[in-house]
């Protein structure tokens, strides 16, 4: 069975968040299952990876976007170093950029990506068994395959859509239809939601099945989905929640080259302490105190807007008994307020930016990882932290609900209900109490490291879905 994953991100080629981690790992694990050949197709980016690896051109052609003719080249990484065939679609001016997102003309960018892929497959007469579309950027593919005459060759190919983040739907005005490949006009309703072209809605309507990255998140979408609640209820018959795994080869505390003092379950307590001492020294924190960390995008979904007040309140309340470290970027108010606190409080440290190496060091050093998410379709940070013996302190929502159980009911993490300063600080106070009980932290480190979040189980679930 040949599966093409279509995605704007893939680790380690280009990563903004968890989508990259999933698309960089799932196909690799799928290829370990007999009978599956999984590949990844993504846009070409100006990233170190493309200069450090060899590519061969496997297609050179063109598409039309409105009255513009666009050159489409498909480049294949020749060594399959990632554990799967990687194809990158290059379209000068649209798909040869520094980053995946943040451009004014992203509707043109993603339309060209989708059209470019389908054009290449048809021109080369490549007929996959499954086209697996990730998020709204590839959400129009299921529609295009069935209703654009240009792609008739692909009609009948099965399409799966995975929703990693329903907060972003890629809505466009209907004027953009002029820049799409021509389609059966009677079917326009399959792209429409409330008077706009809505690629995510279209993916739900037109794919043969769609998935969310946890069961908990799927349940939440029925009641809160930025306007698509009724659609997901109507289409629930083909909806599946499949929890993400983690790449335990990349995220292995015993071999991770980004971690200063590697460790396994036997020496975790002592080695984590050494990692923490080094990190605290670098950032002017106090290694003898518990370390709470936050890693992530400064976005409302992640509850990042609450961080300044959480830092202020917890440090005021518990001055001299905890450290907090934040790594991330995004909302300017949050960045600036936290920068101010970085100067004001010796127990607080901030590093602004996206730093893969530092994130690994933090997972390996921290005692607790904070995730006050308002929305969390799956969340990978909590699983990485658990694998690295760091206790997750998370809001009870989406994938966090499915992966972190509170210590009071036999789990090894801490949950809180509301994404508000009071609840978060209360959970942190509970964590401090646990930290100060002799022997408990060691048990928690071991319990967390014992969880199995590897991709094998979920890869099998996707296979069952493909087969169905
Ligand atoms: P999302 O995709 O919504 O941002 P996930 O929890 O699925 O959330 O994945 C986030 C991924 O991005 C994790 O691999 C996390 O370690 C990483 N990450 C987030 N922010 C940063 C940062 N500032 N520096 C390094 N890695 C980061
Ligand atoms: C999205 C979600 C995150 C999830 C990731 C990978 O970015 O916000 O919760 O873990 O996709 O599926």
């Amino acid at each position: 069975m040949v599966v093409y994953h279509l995605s704007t991100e893939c680790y380690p080629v280009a990563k903004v968040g968890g989508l990259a981690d999933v698309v960089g790992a799932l196909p690799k694990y799928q290829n370990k299952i007999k009978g599956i050949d999984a590949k990844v197709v993504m846009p070409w980016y100006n990233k170190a990876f493309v200069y450090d690896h060899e590519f061969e051109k496997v297609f050179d052609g063109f598409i039309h976007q409105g009255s513009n003719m666009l050159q489409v080249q498909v480049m294949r990484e020749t060594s399959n170093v990632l554990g799967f065939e990687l194809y990158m679609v290059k379209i000068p001016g649209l798909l040869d950029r520094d980053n995946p997102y943040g451009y004014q003309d992203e509707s043109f960018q993603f339309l060209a990506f989708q059209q470019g892929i389908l054009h290449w497959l048809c021109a080369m007469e490549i007929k996959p068994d499954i086209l697996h579309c990730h998020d709204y950027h590839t959400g129009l593919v299921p529609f295009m395959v069935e209703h654009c005459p240009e792609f008739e060759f692909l009609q009948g190919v099965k399409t799966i859509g995975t929703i990693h983040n329903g907060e972003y739907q890629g809505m466009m005005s209907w004027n953009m239809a002029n820049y799409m490949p021509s389609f059966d006009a009677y079917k326009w309703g399959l792209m429409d939601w409330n008077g706009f072209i809505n690629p995510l809605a279209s993916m739900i309507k037109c794919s043969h099945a769609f998935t969310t990255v946890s069961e908990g998140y799927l349940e939440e979408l029925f009641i809160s989905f930025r306007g698509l609640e009724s659609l997901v209820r109507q289409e629930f018959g083909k909806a599946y929640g499949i929890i993400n795994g983690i790449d335990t080869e990349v995220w292995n505390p015993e071999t991770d080259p980004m971690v200063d003092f590697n460790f396994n379950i036997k020496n975790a307590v002592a080695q984590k302490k050494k990692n923490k001492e080094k990190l605290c020294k670098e950032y002017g924190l106090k290694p003898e105190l518990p370390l709470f960390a936050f890693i992530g995008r400064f976005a409302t979904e992640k509850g990042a807007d609450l961080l300044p007040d959480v830092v202020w309140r917890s440090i005021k309340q518990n001055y001299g008994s905890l450290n907090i470290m934040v790594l991330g970027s995004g909302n300017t108010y949050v960045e600036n307020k936290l920068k101010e606190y970085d100067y004001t409080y010796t127990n607080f440290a901030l590093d602004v930016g996206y730093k893969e190496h530092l994130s690994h060091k933090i997972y390996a050093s921290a005692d607790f990882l904070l995730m006050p998410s308002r929305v969390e379709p799956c969340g990978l940070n909590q699983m990485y932290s658990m694998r690295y013996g760091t206790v997750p302190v998370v809001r009870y929502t989406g994938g966090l609900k499915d992966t972190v159980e509170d210590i009071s009911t036999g789990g090894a993490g801490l949950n809180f209900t509301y994404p508000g300063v009071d609840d978060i600080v209360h959970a942190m106070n509970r964590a401090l109490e646990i930290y100060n009980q002799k022997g408990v932290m060691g048990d928690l480190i071991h319990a967390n490291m014992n969880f199995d979040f590897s991709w094998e189980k979920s890869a099998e679930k996707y296979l069952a879905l493909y087969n169905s």
Side-chain angles (χ1 to χ4, degrees), residues 29 31 58 114 194 212 273 276 290 300 304 316 326:
Y29 283 84
N31 284 339
V58 293
Q114 299 172 86
N194 281 339
T212 58
K273 199 168 158 218
K276 179 169 146 189
T300 322
K316 285 275 174 207
V326 170

Side-chain angles (χ1 to χ4, degrees), residues 247-257 259 262-263 387-388:
D247 188 334
T248 48
E249 289 163 17
V250 174
W251 295 90
N252 181 353
E254 206 163 6
T255 52
D256 188 338
V259 167
N262 289 108
F263 56 93
R387 176 133 170 98
Y388 283 52

Side-chain angles (χ1 to χ4, degrees), residues 84 115 117 163 204 219 243 301 317 320:
F84 47 80
Q115 191 178 352
I117 299 170
I163 301 170
I204 295 172
E219 281 161 24
I243 192 86
E301 295 156 64
Q317 260 184 25

Side-chain angles (χ1 to χ4, degrees), residues 15-19 21 165 251 295-297 301-302 327-329 353-356 359 363 371 376 378-382 384:
K15 168 168 167 178
V16 175
L19 170 62
D21 290 358
N165 198 333
W251 295 90
I295 299 171
R297 300 180 281 120
E301 295 156 64
K302 300 285 175 194
L327 165 64
S329 60
Y354 184 88
K355 303 186 177 173
E356 191 73 27
S359 75
Y363 291 121
M371 292 184 76
E376 197 61 83
C378 176
L380 299 172
N381 297 24
Q382 79 280 11
Y384 297 145

Side-chain angles (χ1 to χ4, degrees), residues 112-313:
F113 178 44
Q114 299 172 86
Q115 191 178 352
I117 299 170
L118 299 181
H119 180 72
W120 156 54
L121 295 176
C122 290
M124 299 297 286
E125 299 195 353
I126 301 170
K127 199 177 231 173
D129 295 296
I130 307 274
L131 286 169
H132 192 147
C133 308
H134 294 270
D135 272 349
Y136 81 85
H137 325 105
T138 54
L140 291 172
V141 164
F143 175 85
M144 289 182 183
V145 164
E146 286 304 318
H147 305 297
C148 292
E150 191 183 325
F151 308 130
E152 198 183 357
F153 173 78
L154 291 171
Q155 262 180 22
V157 166
K158 301 290 184 253
T159 50
I160 305 277
T162 290
I163 301 170
H164 295 262
N165 198 333
E167 296 293 290
Y168 303 95
Q169 303 178 357
M171 281 191 310
M172 303 182 266
S173 115
W174 268 100
N175 295 335
M176 286 302 293
N178 299 330
Y179 299 95
M180 284 186 57
S182 67
F183 55 88
D184 177 352
Y186 281 104
K187 303 290 165 43
W188 70 275
L190 292 171
M191 284 193 286
D192 185 78
W193 196 255
N194 281 339
F196 289 89
I197 297 178
N198 184 318
L200 196 72
S202 181
M203 182 166 101
I204 295 172
K205 293 181 189 186
C206 299
S207 58
H208 292 93
F210 68 97
T211 69
T212 58
V213 287
S214 70
E215 281 179 26
Y217 183 56
L218 181 57
E219 281 161 24
E220 283 169 17
L221 290 183
F222 289 101
I223 42 171
S224 170
F225 191 0
R226 290 206 176 260
L228 301 189
E229 301 79 6
S230 59
L231 178 63
V232 80
R233 271 184 238 140
Q234 187 178 314
E235 300 284 359
F236 80 95
K238 58 171 184 182
Y240 301 83
I242 302 181
I243 192 86
N244 288 332
I246 61 172
D247 188 334
T248 48
E249 289 163 17
V250 174
W251 295 90
N252 181 353
E254 206 163 6
T255 52
D256 188 338
M258 302 181 217
V259 167
D260 293 304
F261 302 97
N262 289 108
F263 56 93
N264 55 35
I265 199 156
K266 289 197 194 109
N267 60 7
V269 174
Q271 293 292 91
K272 271 183 75 75
K273 199 168 158 218
K274 282 202 223 162
N275 282 310
K276 179 169 146 189
E277 276 165 7
K278 182 150 189 286
L279 186 74
C280 285
K281 213 165 151 205
E282 248 168 70
Y283 283 88
L285 298 169
K286 306 192 172 59
E288 66 283 6
L289 300 178
L291 174 60
F292 288 81
F294 172 94
I295 299 171
R297 300 180 281 120
F298 294 166
T300 322
E301 295 156 64
K302 300 285 175 194
D305 50 304
L306 303 166
L307 284 177
D309 284 348
V310 167
V311 169
W312 180 81
R313 178 96 68 88

Side-chain angles (χ1 to χ4, degrees), residues 306-319 322 324 341 345 420-426 428-429 432:
L306 303 166
L307 284 177
D309 284 348
V310 167
V311 169
W312 180 81
R313 178 96 68 88
S314 57
I315 288 189
K316 285 275 174 207
Q317 260 184 25
N318 301 295
Y319 201 75
L322 85 172
I324 305 175
Y341 288 161
Y345 300 119
V421 179
D422 287 339
D423 265 36
I424 301 169
V425 174
H426 181 258
M428 290 171 77
N429 289 341
L432 282 177

